[in-house]
Amino acid sequence: MRLSTSLFYSRSADNIRQQTQGISDSQIQLSTGKRINTAADDPVGAARVLTINDELARIEQFNRNGDLAEGKLSFEESTLASVDNVLQRTRELSLSIANIGALNDDSRQAYLSELRELQGQLAALANTQDSNGDFIFAGSLGTVQPFTADAAGVFSYNGDLGDASVAISNTRQVQISHSGAEIFQRINGGNGTYRVDTTQTNNGTGIIDLGTLVDPAAYTPANISLVFTGPDSYDIVNNTTATTLATNQAYVSGDAITFNGVSVSIEGEIATGDTFTVNSSEDQGSFDVLQNLIDGLEGFVNSDGGRARLIQTTENALHDLDQNIANISEQRAGVGVRLNAISTQRDEFISKDILLQSLRSEIEDVDLTEAITDFNNRLLSLQAAQQSFARVQSLSLFNVI
């Protein structure tokens, strides 16, 4: 077969060009450490790598979300711990007031001063802002100050009952904010079912205890009064239904008084007209408890009846505080559960990230030993092609004449 000079040159140039391109590709693989540098290198493999990269990017975003949620929840847990400290100190003061016996004006003012200070601390904690300036107890309204007080010291909630959440996986979201109403307001007082109290007009020394719910099936939510018609007798009146449940009941200090599935007792001397209430539990949040104690101390009258009313106020505060403290513990436990969920999800992503990166490496990474061998072979082939071309190019009939 005869080859023309032009065809020889063309084929030789194509061979050298292919070898040069192969060397260039090998150099790129060696410099990047990757077998697939463009989709043309391996279209199917490149598509798989793109899918893996997308999943790794999602994992990275979910991990950033988890870090954000973890920071916010850790800050909230720390704040709730401080709220618990305030409530525990308020409880200590309530016990001290209840057991002090005679209360002189200096002691009363000292108690009032500390209670007002605790009220201020609680307000500051309820209006806590995170590092971004968002209020952590405003529900989903992070830019709205959740609690404000009027001139009488009554706190109002300005947030909403919603919450903010972030996704930490394709199927899992975690709550990162709380409604302040759940933390500081919407807590049933007393024992959570009913709450006892005296009226401010009582003149005797009677104090009603919280008692127990002896028959939950027989209990119907209602506001009931024990109205004393004399020092030794009382009527039981259901104010909700405007009916009298019992009349002219004999009173013995400390004896059980049972009605509506509830058993309570009253101790002390009774004056005619004294009234005690057993009402369905209503919200007695932490601000309410502190204000009740402050009002009780500010309105204290140094008399037998006045001391009895103050003791009743402090005992009620103790029951209400127990409900509030239990609520804070429950909320902190909920935060702990969410923090654990973030940690568990992060561990899952660590394992998945390692697996995906390993799979991606198998698909796109180059075998360095194989790549070096291929590079050397291509280099030798190029050198051989160049030398062959040079030798053939120099051939001439004049060399054999």
Side-chain angles (χ1 to χ4, degrees):
M1 180 178 178
R2 299 176 60 186
L3 297 176
S4 68
T5 301
S6 62
L7 180 60
F8 167 74
Y9 273 99
S10 176
R11 288 186 176 179
S12 296
D14 287 343
N15 184 32
I16 292 173
R17 187 163 47 249
Q18 288 174 3
Q19 296 300 331
T20 302
Q21 182 61 48
I23 289 173
S24 176
D25 292 342
S26 294
Q27 286 177 324
I28 292 173
Q29 289 182 351
L30 287 171
S31 64
T32 62
K34 298 186 183 300
R35 182 179 66 85
I36 303 174
N37 290 285
T38 67
D41 294 336
D42 182 351
V44 174
R48 293 178 64 192
V49 168
L50 183 61
T51 300
I52 292 172
N53 286 340
D54 288 343
E55 183 61 23
L56 287 171
R58 279 193 292 271
I59 289 175
E60 184 179 358
Q61 181 60 59
F62 286 138
N63 279 333
R64 285 197 296 269
N65 291 352
D67 292 341
L68 169 68
E70 187 174 53
K72 285 182 174 291
L73 289 172
S74 296
F75 184 58
E76 179 181 343
E77 201 285 330
S78 175
T79 304
L80 289 174
S82 297
V83 172
D84 184 69
N85 290 337
V86 170
L87 297 181
Q88 293 288 357
R89 179 54 185 162
T90 304
R91 194 178 194 285
E92 292 173 4
L93 291 176
S94 298
L95 279 171
S96 177
I97 296 168
N99 296 320
I100 196 173
L103 179 67
N104 59 43
D105 194 59
D106 288 341
S107 296
R108 185 175 69 89
Q109 291 298 332
Y111 282 124
L112 276 171
S113 177
E114 185 166 1
L115 286 170
R116 291 187 182 114
E117 177 63 27
L118 289 169
Q119 189 180 52
Q121 291 178 28
L122 189 66
L125 291 168
N127 288 320
T128 296
Q129 293 173 276
D130 62 20
S131 58
N132 295 322
D134 292 330
F135 293 96
I136 66 174
F137 296 125
S140 62
L141 306 178
T143 60
V144 176
Q145 181 176 328
F147 289 95
T148 52
D150 61 18
V154 178
F155 282 83
S156 299
Y157 179 60
N158 307 307
D160 65 8
L161 300 180
D163 57 67
S165 299
V166 296
I168 60 171
S169 77
N170 287 323
T171 58
R172 183 182 293 176
Q173 292 197 345
V174 293
Q175 179 184 337
I176 59 172
S177 70
H178 257 112
S179 165
E182 295 179 1
I183 307 295
F184 301 99
Q185 285 188 325
R186 301 177 70 180
I187 299 94
N188 283 340
N191 61 9
T193 302
Y194 64 87
R195 188 173 185 271
V196 300
D197 206 351
T198 61
T199 63
Q200 291 300 308
T201 57
N202 283 10
N203 293 311
T205 61
I207 298 170
I208 184 171
D209 72 357
L210 186 60
T212 56
L213 183 63
V214 294
D215 189 357
Y219 178 77
T220 300
N223 294 340
I224 295 176
S225 296
L226 307 177
V227 182
F228 279 79
T229 56
D232 301 316
S233 62
Y234 61 91
D235 296 342
I236 304 176
V237 179
N238 187 327
N239 300 305
T240 301
T241 60
T243 58
T244 300
L245 304 180
T247 59
N248 200 31
Q249 301 295 296
Y251 167 70
V252 177
S253 178
D255 277 6
I257 302 173
T258 303
F259 55 92
N260 196 31
V262 171
S263 179
V264 298
S265 64
I266 299 172
E267 291 188 0
E269 296 181 358
I270 302 298
T272 300
D274 284 357
T275 300
F276 301 83
T277 59
V278 182
N279 296 338
S280 300
S281 287
E282 296 180 348
D283 292 343
Q284 285 291 316
S286 47
F287 287 115
D288 297 322
V289 178
L290 273 161
Q291 192 59 49
N292 290 341
L293 285 168
I294 290 171
D295 290 344
L297 284 168
E298 286 180 336
F300 173 69
V301 176
N302 193 8
S303 64
D304 290 344
R307 282 189 292 273
R309 284 193 295 275
L310 183 59
I311 291 173
Q312 186 74 64
T313 297
T314 56
E315 289 192 356
N316 289 348
L318 289 170
H319 299 311
D320 296 339
L321 282 166
D322 287 343
Q323 295 292 323
N324 278 267
I325 290 169
N327 178 63
I328 294 298
S329 296
E330 182 179 343
Q331 299 294 344
R332 293 179 69 183
V335 171
V337 168
R338 289 190 285 278
L339 286 170
N340 286 337
I342 294 169
S343 178
T344 299
Q345 187 62 62
R346 183 181 288 120
D347 290 342
E348 291 178 9
F349 277 146
I350 288 173
S351 299
K352 188 174 183 180
D353 188 274
I354 292 172
L355 179 62
L356 288 172
Q357 294 209 42
S358 176
L359 180 59
R360 182 178 64 180
S361 177
E362 290 177 6
I363 297 170
E364 71 172 357
D365 287 357
V366 70
D367 184 325
L368 288 176
T369 301
E370 183 180 329
I372 291 171
T373 300
D374 182 65
F375 174 76
N376 289 331
N377 289 337
R378 289 179 182 276
L379 189 59
L380 288 173
S381 296
L382 175 62
Q383 290 172 349
Q386 290 172 333
Q387 290 173 0
S388 175
F389 177 74
R391 292 185 63 181
V392 173
Q393 185 184 35
S394 66
L395 291 178
S396 172
L397 287 177
F398 292 103
N399 295 333
V400 295
I401 293 177

